[in-house]
Amino acid sequence: MVFYLPENIETATILDELTPRQIVTELDKYVVGQDEAKRAVAVALRNRMRRQKLSPDLAEEILPKNIIMIGPTGVGKTEIARRLARLANSPFLKVEASRFTEVGYVGRDVESMIRDLIEISIDMVREEKIEEVAEKAEQNAEERLLDLLLPPPPPAPPRAEKTSPDDGHLAAMEQFKRTREKLRAQLREGKLDERQVELETRERSFPAFEIVSSQGIEEMDINIKDILPGLFGQRNKKRRMRVAEAMDYLIQEEENKLIDMDQVTRTAVERAEQSGIIFLDEIDKIAGRERGHGPDVSREGVQRDILPIVEGTTVNTRYGMVRTDHILFIAAGAFHVSKPADLIPELQGRFPIRVELRSLNVEDFIRILTEPKSALVKQYVALLETEGIKLSFTDDALEEVARFAATVNDQAENIGARRLHTIMEKLLDEISFEGPDLKKKHVRIDGAYVRKQLAEIVKDQDLSRYIL
């Protein structure tokens, strides 16, 4: 389950120092239990670090050991993979394998996952570059905005050599500098935010036509603007806007000037190739061989389409050819009906590591409610505190919530930790609705209150299927 975002980590230095045990410790901060799965991904990440220290020839031969996670929904499969990627500062893409079997689903093929990964990688690298140039961009934008607020005086007229400077011009320049510094101080304090300025902005003009290929518009890797640059010209337009809005626009414009997008693209493609992670969810939905006609006929075909990408191939993207040999693939599925052995043998061989994630019990639910930095209980306490309500939970209340969540998961669909969201919403529905009008601002939730709010719904199994 998603608990909270990790703090920024100096990955280049820290990752070299993180042992598999320490990687598991980091993952423990976000996902409760599932030690076997954490160990598997920790070793996979550590092997990636080890590979980077080898000679290029040997490193090229060492391929990642892809992983299949087996377990019901809501137990942490996706979150383990996502947290691992954030810890490693790796481009991460989650894709449902079953979407490639949907009837009428056209315009995308399995290679689109690589194109999507590249786009994510470019966004990551670009954000990093923006952080590097942020200070310089803000300085440049501030100077440009001050020029709009107080245009510089015209230059002094040329004078004969060896004559004294124009005292009047020098005085005007001194006055200009003093006024400019006063404006700078007011600008930084936000006192000029509502003032209007006229700014020259750039607008692109696009002709109204589309080009359709047999693959669909989304898979057109030809950038028409690059082929016909004169057709997509830029025109400048003067706009009046608030100073605060103009500052944001100018900062963005300066950032674009300071960033070398060619370098960003090269770095992003290399990062995706060497450290990208693709999470193939619902792989159990495409497991099995064709036994007849109908919607299931495409399952083996999808597996055979995915196979070369997992094995290692080259995919054509708008940024050039991208190799998939060293991308780490983590597949996941509940496997209630099928089993990993139902996958085609070639695809099975590309996922040598298999780990099973267990269902969550009452103790796990209690830990999920309280331990993470942004646990559910802490979220509701903070939300209601905005209304001046001091919300508190007793230990027996948390035990009851966890017990109800486990009971409903057993009786209805087992949706893992996601059940806690539904339980907590139902439990606090009355308090959330009446919150602004409550006269009693200290609300204590105990076990008796939990039983009163939830017992009848849980008893009525037909109703609980729809409500909980």
Side-chain angles (χ1 to χ4, degrees), residues 21 29 33 51 62 76 90 104 116 150 158 168 182 203 238 333 371 386 405 417 441 463 465:
R21 190 183 304 278
K29 297 177 182 178
R51 174 180 166 272
I62 298 178
S90 299
D116 291 343
L150 182 68
K182 289 178 182 178
E203 293 186 351
K238 288 188 178 294
E371 286 186 9
T386 63
K441 294 298 184 181
L463 186 60
R465 288 177 185 274

Side-chain angles (χ1 to χ4, degrees), residues 75-91:
V75 297
K77 301 188 296 294
T78 305
E79 194 58 20
I80 288 173
R82 181 180 288 116
R83 296 299 174 184
L84 183 77
R86 294 192 181 187
L87 180 64
N89 198 30
S90 299

Side-chain angles (χ1 to χ4, degrees), residues 349-377:
R350 293 299 170 179
F351 288 90
I353 301 175
R354 299 176 188 178
V355 292
E356 187 169 355
L357 287 81
R358 60 178 177 80
S359 297
L360 302 173
N361 56 30
V362 174
E363 290 74 20
D364 293 328
F365 284 133
I366 294 173
R367 292 179 60 196
I368 292 170
L369 282 169
T370 58
E371 286 186 9
K373 183 177 180 181
S374 295
L376 273 179
V377 168

Side-chain angles (χ1 to χ4, degrees), residues 332-451:
F335 288 98
H336 290 312
V337 178
S338 59
K339 54 186 182 294
D342 291 331
L343 294 166
I344 60 174
E346 299 92 334
L347 194 58
Q348 289 183 53
R350 293 299 170 179
F351 288 90
I353 301 175
R354 299 176 188 178
V355 292
E356 187 169 355
L357 287 81
R358 60 178 177 80
S359 297
L360 302 173
N361 56 30
V362 174
E363 290 74 20
D364 293 328
F365 284 133
I366 294 173
R367 292 179 60 196
I368 292 170
L369 282 169
T370 58
E371 286 186 9
K373 183 177 180 181
S374 295
L376 273 179
V377 168
K378 298 174 185 176
Q379 291 179 26
Y380 282 102
V381 168
L383 282 172
L384 290 172
E385 195 170 1
T386 63
E387 305 278 2
I389 299 171
K390 302 293 183 183
L391 184 66
S392 62
F393 290 80
T394 63
D395 290 342
D396 67 320
L398 297 175
E399 290 174 6
E400 286 296 310
V401 170
R403 185 176 65 80
F404 275 117
T407 300
V408 177
N409 271 351
D410 289 340
Q411 293 176 351
E413 293 291 329
N414 182 3
I415 59 173
R418 295 185 180 93
R419 183 70 66 187
L420 289 173
H421 291 267
T422 317
I423 292 278
M424 291 291 287
E425 278 295 318
K426 188 61 186 174
L427 173 65
L428 298 174
D429 176 73
E430 184 178 332
I431 297 171
S432 295
F433 185 82
E434 301 290 346
D437 305 317
L438 284 177
K439 294 180 180 176
K440 183 182 177 183
K441 294 298 184 181
H442 290 267
V443 180
R444 184 170 176 267
I445 305 294
D446 57 16
Y449 183 85
V450 175
R451 288 188 291 272

Side-chain angles (χ1 to χ4, degrees), residues 159-178:
R159 297 175 58 86
E161 293 183 4
K162 297 182 180 180
T163 59
S164 61
D166 188 333
D167 293 337
H169 178 70
L170 290 177
M173 286 300 298
E174 287 299 322
Q175 179 63 34
F176 168 75
K177 291 178 181 178
R178 287 194 297 270

Side-chain angles (χ1 to χ4, degrees), residues 201-260:
T201 61
R202 295 180 181 178
E203 293 186 351
R204 283 186 179 273
S205 57
F206 297 94
F209 65 83
E210 291 182 348
I211 295 179
V212 181
S213 76
S214 59
Q215 290 182 313
I217 297 172
E218 286 185 335
E219 300 308 323
M220 288 287 292
D221 285 320
I222 301 174
N223 190 340
I224 303 300
K225 293 191 293 295
D226 293 338
I227 298 175
L228 304 173
L231 192 61
F232 297 87
Q234 285 187 346
R235 55 180 183 145
N236 295 338
K237 180 181 178 181
K238 288 188 178 294
R239 283 181 52 200
R240 290 194 65 80
M241 61 179 73
R242 294 166 49 248
V243 164
E245 185 183 355
M247 186 67 172
D248 291 338
Y249 180 87
L250 291 172
I251 288 175
Q252 185 176 7
E253 203 173 69
E254 289 298 322
E255 286 171 348
N256 291 333
K257 289 180 182 177
L258 293 169
I259 293 174
D260 182 354

Side-chain angles (χ1 to χ4, degrees), residues 86-189:
R86 294 192 181 187
L87 180 64
N89 198 30
S90 299
F92 174 82
L93 174 71
K94 177 187 175 183
V95 59
E96 285 76 23
S98 59
R99 79 179 187 181
F100 300 117
T101 67
E102 294 174 8
V103 177
Y105 190 86
V106 296
R108 295 180 71 90
D109 54 32
V110 294
E111 289 186 350
S112 64
M113 68 176 80
I114 304 300
R115 300 185 183 101
D116 291 343
L117 184 70
I118 293 297
E119 295 292 346
I120 291 169
S121 184
I122 285 176
D123 288 343
M124 284 181 63
V125 176
R126 186 174 183 277
E127 287 299 318
E128 292 170 5
K129 297 298 182 183
I130 285 176
E131 288 184 12
E132 292 177 9
V133 303
E135 187 176 349
K136 178 66 174 174
E138 188 171 352
Q139 290 174 359
N140 292 351
E142 184 180 77
E143 296 300 327
R144 288 177 63 186
L145 191 53
L146 288 171
D147 287 342
L148 292 173
L149 292 166
L150 182 68
R159 297 175 58 86
E161 293 183 4
K162 297 182 180 180
T163 59
S164 61
D166 188 333
D167 293 337
H169 178 70
L170 290 177
M173 286 300 298
E174 287 299 322
Q175 179 63 34
F176 168 75
K177 291 178 181 178
R178 287 194 297 270
T179 306
R180 187 181 179 92
E181 291 308 311
K182 289 178 182 178
L183 281 176
R184 190 191 304 276
Q186 292 176 348
L187 179 63
R188 292 177 178 178
E189 293 169 7

